[in-house]
Amino acid sequence: MPEGPHEAPPPQLLRTEEAWSDAELKATLEAYKRLLNGERLSKAGLYRELSQRFSRAPGAYERRMQNISAVLSERGQPWVPGLKPQKNVGANVRPRLERLMQEILVGDSDTGTAYEPEVLALLNQPHLPVPSGQQRPATSTKLVTDHARDAAVKAWVLKNAQGMCECCGKSAPFRTVNDLPYLEVHHVRTLASGGADTVDNTVAICPNCHRELHHGTGALELRARLYARVDRLRVEPSDRLKTS
Ligand SMILES: [Zn+2]
Ligand SMILES: [Zn+2]
């Protein structure tokens, strides 16, 4: 069968097993981003373009885009309808894919996601009972179960704050990619000094107040003001002297 000069390479020349280069992953992400932004493009056309550029079968790009949907869906972020999440991301590709996703889809490279998937899932629930948290969070067993408890406390405190910093009272400085007000969760008495991981030792505050509470010369006064301002906080006996 004769072939024109602009046809896709014949199947026997298509790479299937060869590793994906950063350039190829980036090009796939750029195409995905256009779909995510709502550009009206033919998906098949995008796969064909990528196939011609990198000599891999068009179907490979569809599967790769479904991998991208899977990572986005795990993070509670929107993904392209019609590219159903497909989780079989190769272990050798996944870290690079996630790094490039952050760079290309989110546009920042060193701060990770604002809220963990467990927290996001809880924030989406209409009713959040007050979690019991942990009075004495173990420092030696920081594994999955710990993390899940932490998520319940974090989600409850974030939701309860209703987008306002509990320290200065101002609105969250911006909304996250998940369209949630951005606040940080702070343990008033640090876990390291025996503070509990419970809602009566935890506040949702803006990044400025958070930095000041950790690094400011007036940190102790600010902490005393937090105790006075937020009724649910329980002053632990050893803190009473410092905050009065
Ligand atoms: Zn604040
Ligand atoms: Zn903190």
Side-chain angles (χ1 to χ4, degrees):
M1 187 178 94
E3 286 197 89
H6 300 297
E7 300 280 317
Q12 66 271 23
L13 294 184
L14 291 172
R15 300 175 304 143
T16 47
E17 300 303 323
E18 216 170 304
W20 289 62
S21 67
D22 275 10
E24 190 174 13
L25 286 174
K26 269 188 187 173
T28 308
L29 276 160
E30 297 286 3
Y32 189 97
K33 186 179 187 175
R34 296 175 69 188
L35 294 168
L36 197 60
N37 289 343
E39 283 189 52
R40 298 176 64 88
L41 298 161
S42 140
K43 292 190 185 79
L46 288 174
Y47 307 149
R48 249 194 330 271
E49 269 173 41
L50 287 163
S51 173
Q52 281 164 10
R53 197 164 146 202
F54 297 101
S55 306
R56 199 186 295 271
Y61 299 100
E62 177 171 32
R63 287 191 296 278
R64 187 55 84 210
M65 289 194 192
Q66 289 183 286
N67 291 159
I68 297 167
S69 292
V71 177
L72 288 171
S73 129
E74 275 169 35
R75 294 179 180 175
Q77 291 171 5
W79 43 275
V80 174
L83 285 169
K84 254 184 118 191
Q86 192 73 254
K87 290 198 180 195
N88 56 336
V89 193
N92 53 335
V93 174
R94 186 167 181 127
R96 273 196 301 143
L97 182 65
E98 293 206 24
R99 178 173 50 76
L100 292 169
M101 278 177 71
Q102 198 67 27
E103 193 179 307
I104 291 165
L105 297 182
V106 182
D108 93 10
S109 55
D110 65 354
T111 54
T113 48
Y115 303 131
E116 303 88 323
E118 296 95 322
V119 176
L120 280 174
L122 290 165
L123 283 170
N124 282 328
Q125 289 177 13
H127 303 293
L128 274 188
V130 183
S132 53
Q134 279 186 289
Q135 289 302 330
R136 293 278 169 265
T139 46
S140 53
T141 54
K142 281 259 168 231
L143 289 173
V144 181
T145 44
D146 246 15
H147 196 51
R149 290 201 191 101
D150 185 54
V153 171
K154 189 167 176 179
W156 188 91
V157 169
L158 284 168
K159 200 158 200 168
N160 184 66
Q162 297 183 302
M164 311 281 247
C165 171
E166 292 187 285
C167 186
C168 65
K170 290 184 193 150
S171 291
F174 59 88
R175 297 186 76 82
T176 68
V177 289
N178 304 299
D179 197 30
L180 292 165
Y182 181 80
L183 291 173
E184 296 176 352
V185 173
H186 169 73
H187 290 95
V188 184
R189 189 173 182 214
T190 64
L191 299 182
S193 65
D197 187 26
T198 51
V199 301
D200 57 15
N201 184 45
T202 309
V203 286
I205 54 179
C206 73
N208 273 351
C209 287
H210 199 184
R211 294 298 164 108
E212 188 172 355
L213 277 161
H214 281 273
H215 306 296
T217 52
L220 282 180
E221 287 85 347
L222 197 57
R223 189 162 87 143
R225 286 222 304 277
L226 255 183
Y227 274 129
R229 185 183 169 104
V230 183
D231 284 344
R232 71 167 186 282
L233 292 179
R234 175 171 47 96
V235 187
E236 298 196 25
S238 58
D239 263 344
R240 224 161 242 137
L241 295 171
K242 294 177 212 158
T243 57
S244 57

